[in-house]
Amino acid sequence: MSHALTALSAALPLASGWAVHGLRMRRRFENARRDPLSGLWTRDAFEEQATRLLTRHPHVAVVLVDLDGFKAVNDTHGHAAGDAVIRATGVSFADALTGHRRSVAGRIGGDEFAAAVALPAPAALPWLLEGLHGEITAPLHHDGRNLNVGASIGAALSSDAPEGPARELSALLRRADERMYRTKQEGGGWSIAPATGSGPGLRTVNGRREGRPGTGSTSGTGAAA
């Protein structure tokens, strides 16, 4: 018995060390999948977790956010001010999604963000978007001045699409992107895509609205921030 206890006592520190090492490795891996500026998930990590939400919950809102006036902040006040806006936007997502345990948010471009949120019912979506828009557009005090940016938000609800490819993340992001672009053209705010088939959409290239970066198309210009 004494030999067994001695061996166990010797093994415990080793096992504890491996456990701590494993925890550190997991944290490093997780940190590598987060945007260092906003604290939100990177695009790949966001898409992975958003896809998981879509397979597990009936009402998932896919939300796309583009900051309005971000370039002007950078050009006028410098990149430090722009970085402050990105950090504040990350905090805004965290605040707006408080209470939504089944949600994920990511920074998927320079000033473009996305979220996927499992909702108890479709009626909860306007409240979510109103809160998110208010958080993002609240004045930010930085370096002795107030920085103001707007936000154009488009959303698509998974339960508004028929079963099959239309409920996949890429399709819902495309519909949210279309709605966000229309909202930007109208001066910002938020808007929800109608149910699939209830109205015409914008032409898309490679899964993105025509004219958006990454489409490979030069026939559209998009809207300036």
Side-chain angles (χ1 to χ4, degrees):
M1 179 65 74
S2 61
H3 291 297
L5 290 175
T6 301
L8 180 60
S9 298
L12 284 175
L14 181 62
S16 177
W18 276 109
V20 171
H21 176 72
L23 179 60
R24 287 175 178 169
M25 291 299 293
R26 283 195 296 273
R27 286 177 176 172
R28 288 178 183 175
F29 177 71
E30 180 174 302
N31 288 338
R33 288 159 58 86
R34 285 191 180 274
D35 170 57
L37 199 54
S38 67
L40 302 177
W41 295 105
T42 59
R43 186 183 190 110
D44 287 347
F46 163 75
E47 290 181 348
E48 177 185 310
Q49 296 181 59
T51 297
R52 190 177 302 125
L53 281 177
L54 286 166
T55 62
R56 296 179 178 177
H57 303 283
H59 305 295
V60 177
V62 173
V63 181
L64 200 63
V65 178
D66 197 72
L67 300 182
D68 299 331
F70 177 73
K71 185 177 184 300
V73 169
N74 260 334
D75 292 346
T76 303
H77 303 297
H79 290 293
D83 288 351
V85 170
I86 296 298
R87 282 193 293 269
T89 302
V91 173
S92 295
F93 269 91
D95 290 345
L97 297 181
T98 297
H100 295 279
R101 292 191 305 111
R102 298 177 179 87
S103 63
V104 59
R107 183 185 180 197
I108 61 174
D111 61 345
E112 191 173 45
F113 303 82
V117 187
L119 300 173
L125 182 52
W127 298 95
L128 170 68
L129 299 180
E130 183 68 26
L132 179 60
H133 187 269
E135 292 279 357
I136 293 174
T137 58
L140 169 65
H141 191 72
H142 172 75
D143 198 22
R145 62 173 67 89
N146 283 331
L147 304 177
N148 294 280
V149 294
S152 295
I153 304 176
L157 192 62
S158 63
S159 50
D160 281 343
E163 294 277 0
R167 287 196 185 184
E168 293 178 0
L169 181 62
S170 59
L172 293 169
L173 278 172
R174 183 165 61 245
R175 295 182 61 227
D177 185 56
E178 292 177 1
R179 186 53 47 172
M180 182 275 291
Y181 178 65
R182 291 180 186 273
T183 303
K184 184 179 283 287
Q185 287 184 313
E186 295 168 0
W190 58 266
S191 181
I192 303 171
T196 302
S198 62
L202 298 174
R203 195 167 78 86
T204 60
V205 180
N206 298 332
R208 301 279 282 163
R209 177 194 16 94
E210 186 176 36
R212 295 284 288 169
T215 61
S217 170
T218 58
S219 61
T221 59

